[in-house]
Amino acid sequence: MPDLPPLAVAELDLDGPDGEVLSLRPAPGGPPLGEGGVYALVRLRGRPAATVLGHVRAGEDPAEALRTAFRARRTGREQPDEHDTEPTPTPTRASTPTRASTATPTSTATPTPTLPRATVVVATRERAPQLARALDSLLAQDHPDFQVLVVDNAPRTTATRDLVQGRYAGRVDYVEEPVPGLATAHNRGIAAADGEVLAFTDDDVIADPHWLTALTEPFATDPGLGCTTGLILPARLTTPAQILLESHGGFAKGFAPRLYDPAEPPPDEPLFPFTAGSFGSGANMAFRAQVLSSVGGFDPATGTGTPARGGDDLYAFVRVLSAGHRLRYTPGALVWHHHRETWQDLRNQAYGYGAGLTAYLTAILVRRPALLPSLLLKLPRGLAHARTITAHRDGAATALDAHRTPGPRAPYAAPGTHGAQSHPWPRDLSRLERRGMLYGPVGYVRARLRLRRGAR
């Protein structure tokens, strides 16, 4: 594990790509800004547009240092990419959804009563302090009509129930699911929810006040939409494990909105719709309730808390797309995620990602065997594409890859290059991920057998 100094996390709001600073503030729940490295979300008039790494020196204005870093990153490229382009105006509600990768972002305007009623489902287990932090942010949402529902999964104590029925009485609903497993808990939430749209997030996030509006608004404009996902950024970068995870992509899927349509498969994803990891993550997703119910909800033999270790969100994405519904990635729907802190946490995460990937593929083929011919047909091109992506991951850099104390007027990592002290993804973690992939189908079978024994 490389020895990496901590980074502050902040939000910088600019009046356009080269405009004046509108505001600079720490990320929600983060410490005040001071000297040292800063990882900042850059907003353009409120809309998430990019991230940048800066370094604030003694006596230097943090806002100006970060603005300079952002401008240097933009002008340092030969060609701009989606991370640096100013969002285009939001279309009216009557407009036709865009099918290209440059689909327009969600509006930041005041929400209107035409938004669908939503239920936010938060599955949790024995993490009351983190849950309280998440619930506070969810209750501050600017959506006009929503329910917050906590699913207490296989509790060992009454801490979660006491918190919800005490501190949040009358504002947050509570149900208990005795069977362990994230997918089972989510299915319990589906049964208890009353929203037209069901949003799911985790107990270790802080939701941006506009998160739920941005995540649910696309359902009001596109009747063929089955699912939306959103942007996930780190709430803290205080340990080497957190920094290493984020430097290699973390949970973020970029700042370019995108619509995935099974009627028009994206040419850059040969395995579509089986490339579920590119669609989003379970900490920030929403489904039209009727659509999610029609595909049977989540597979209870997948997810954290089961032998499969994960894959419940990926399974749901593919089931919705394979049923003919569209999926939209909406970066305006932002949550701040508290990454795990230790090296062992990161090792467990790498293994779990690999296991969850092949477990979800096994679940898809077991429950929807008619999809097997399509998968086999796309597999050769998909494997070649995967090798390219793996090589890119092992050799490419992000804004955090050259995390170090920068020299004069170089408070950023040049995109696509490594600094002198860059930190590649450890081979140990890659091996663990591959081991997890080998285990995934076995874990899925074990989870199904456990469910059958429990049912008996």
Side-chain angles (χ1 to χ4, degrees), residues 67-343:
R67 185 174 77 125
T68 300
F70 176 59
R71 294 179 67 182
R73 181 177 179 181
R74 295 185 71 248
T75 58
R77 275 197 183 91
E78 293 182 3
Q79 294 181 352
D81 65 12
E82 72 274 10
H83 294 274
D84 293 331
T85 54
E86 185 174 3
T88 54
T90 302
T92 63
R93 290 183 179 273
S95 64
T96 302
T98 305
R99 287 186 169 85
S101 63
T102 54
T104 51
T106 302
S107 171
T108 57
T110 303
T112 67
T114 56
L115 291 174
R117 174 165 172 78
T119 295
V120 182
V121 178
V122 186
T124 186
R125 189 184 192 198
E126 304 300 343
R127 301 209 298 182
Q130 295 95 320
L131 176 63
R133 181 179 59 201
L135 292 179
D136 288 341
S137 71
L138 293 174
L139 292 173
Q141 294 297 299
D142 62 11
H143 192 287
D145 185 17
F146 67 97
Q147 168 198 25
V148 178
L149 175 65
V150 168
V151 182
D152 196 0
N153 189 210
R156 295 187 299 267
T157 72
T158 63
T160 299
R161 183 180 64 198
D162 294 343
L163 173 71
V164 175
Q165 296 182 346
R167 177 173 170 179
Y168 298 101
R171 297 185 294 162
V172 175
D173 294 329
Y174 171 92
V175 293
E176 181 178 327
E177 172 51 60
V179 178
L182 184 57
T184 300
H186 280 167
N187 286 340
R188 181 71 178 90
I190 294 171
D194 63 13
E196 178 185 344
V197 171
L198 307 181
F200 298 86
T201 191
D202 293 344
D203 59 9
D204 54 2
V205 309
I206 297 177
D208 182 80
H210 191 62
W211 166 71
L212 188 58
T213 294
L215 195 64
T216 59
E217 189 174 31
F219 292 100
T221 65
D222 182 0
L225 193 67
C227 177
T228 58
T229 60
L231 177 63
I232 303 174
L233 291 180
R236 288 177 176 268
L237 292 171
T238 57
T239 71
Q242 292 174 328
I243 294 170
L244 185 61
L245 175 63
E246 193 61 33
S247 74
H248 289 270
F251 298 95
K253 307 301 178 186
F255 293 86
R258 184 160 188 175
L259 185 68
Y260 294 94
D261 190 338
E264 298 183 16
D268 58 335
E269 295 193 10
L271 271 174
F272 178 87
F274 302 103
T275 49
S278 64
F279 304 148
S281 299
N284 192 351
M285 61 184 182
F287 299 85
R288 198 180 299 275
Q290 184 274 328
V291 169
L292 189 57
S293 296
S294 71
V295 299
F298 298 89
D299 186 331
T302 60
T304 304
T306 71
R309 304 288 292 268
D312 53 306
D313 50 349
L314 308 183
Y315 172 85
F317 297 154
V318 174
R319 284 293 286 114
V320 167
L321 285 164
S322 63
H325 306 282
R326 292 186 282 273
L327 183 152
R328 183 184 289 272
Y329 172 67
T330 307
L334 167 66
V335 299
W336 300 89
H337 182 263
H338 286 79
H339 295 349
R340 302 294 176 86
E341 297 181 354
T342 70
W343 175 247

